[in-house]
Amino acid sequence: MHKKTVVVHSGGMDSSLCLALAIKEFGADHVLSLSFDYSQRHNNEINAAKHICSAWGVDHAAVNLECLSALTADALTNSAQPISWGKEHAPSTLVVGRNGLMARLGAIHAHSLGADCIYMGVIEEEAREIGYRDCSKAYIELKQQILRLDLGNPLFEIRTPLIDMSKAETLQLAHSLGILDFLWENTVTCYNGVMKQGCGKCPACFLRNRGLEIAQKHLIK
């Protein structure tokens, strides 16, 4: 039986929440979690993705993209480069074209499985506040148009259910689904691979921990 959707799954909070939403719509048997090993600073997130998929009964596959580190220079593929970020420049953790490449490869695999969509946990807040250009809605819409041409499928979708949400709102969604505690315990969002509260210094930790603080005060009841 063909899979019905593919989730680009890093093992972080946002992509794991998307995995839960895909399971809710399609059923675990019809969802494939697809991770990418691009020589990131740690492999904790891929291990987290495997663990989450095992717990939720979802098939998981990992694609080797180690060549990416030879093609571009950034702090995610080169641990010797310090993590820096600020409004005056793009973050050193920006892997140029990463989301676009993962979307393309995920879509190609989805197409081969007879699926008409992929899920990605991108959030425009990350484009606006941190500088991740490939997290913007405009970027994803353009990528979707290209993929529809590539695949010969005018109905193909890049589903981004979190894209208009704040981090706090995504945590509230996880809470409403009854999986917030599980995701907090088992996902790796920190760029240094630290579980739960993370390193507290990288932009991923900043956004998630700020979102958790807001959600605990105002949203999660």
Side-chain angles (χ1 to χ4, degrees):
M1 180 179 291
H2 285 310
K3 301 290 181 182
K4 294 297 179 64
T5 194
V6 170
V7 178
V8 176
H9 188 203
S10 69
M13 177 74 77
D14 300 329
S15 64
S16 297
L17 179 52
C18 282
L19 182 66
L21 294 173
I23 292 170
K24 185 177 180 181
E25 179 167 354
F26 294 101
D29 290 342
H30 305 300
V31 175
L32 174 68
S33 157
L34 190 63
S35 299
F36 295 90
D37 181 352
Y38 55 95
S39 298
Q40 50 265 60
R41 291 173 78 96
H42 59 84
N43 61 8
N44 291 3
E45 61 182 9
I46 295 180
N47 292 334
K50 292 177 182 177
H51 172 74
I52 292 165
C53 289
S54 177
W56 288 352
V58 175
D59 287 342
H60 176 264
V63 174
N64 188 323
L65 278 183
E66 292 180 1
C67 63
L68 193 57
S69 63
L71 301 176
T72 186
D74 54 77
L76 280 195
T77 59
N78 180 3
S79 59
Q81 184 174 338
I83 292 176
S84 63
W85 54 289
K87 292 189 178 299
E88 68 277 3
H89 58 77
S92 66
T93 48
L94 175 66
V95 184
V96 175
R98 179 187 64 168
N99 282 348
L101 180 59
M102 292 180 180
R104 180 179 293 276
L105 294 175
I108 291 170
H109 193 40
H111 179 70
S112 74
L113 298 173
D116 290 322
C117 67
I118 61 171
Y119 280 74
M120 298 187 76
V122 296
I123 297 178
E124 191 150 37
E125 183 179 63
E126 295 188 346
R128 184 173 60 252
E129 295 203 25
I130 306 298
Y132 293 130
R133 302 184 291 265
D134 53 1
C135 288
S136 71
K137 184 182 293 187
Y139 182 92
I140 294 299
E141 289 174 350
L142 287 170
K143 194 68 185 180
Q144 180 174 266
Q145 291 180 40
I146 293 169
L147 289 175
R148 288 175 172 178
L149 289 172
D150 275 343
L151 304 176
N153 181 355
L155 301 179
F156 190 86
E157 292 181 283
I158 303 177
R159 294 191 177 183
T160 54
L162 312 182
I163 199 162
D164 291 321
M165 296 184 182
S166 67
K167 288 287 185 177
E169 289 169 336
T170 67
L171 295 171
Q172 172 64 12
L173 175 58
H175 176 70
S176 71
L177 294 173
I179 59 172
L180 180 57
D181 289 344
F182 176 85
L183 293 182
W184 182 257
E185 292 290 332
N186 293 284
T187 59
V188 181
T189 297
C190 173
Y191 292 148
N192 286 309
V194 182
M195 300 286 286
K196 299 182 181 179
Q197 292 289 346
C199 69
K201 300 177 182 179
C202 71
C205 285
F206 166 74
L207 287 178
R208 188 175 76 156
N209 292 345
R210 184 186 68 178
L212 181 65
E213 182 179 354
I214 294 171
Q216 287 175 328
K217 287 182 178 179
H218 303 292
L219 297 175
I220 296 175
K221 303 296 184 183

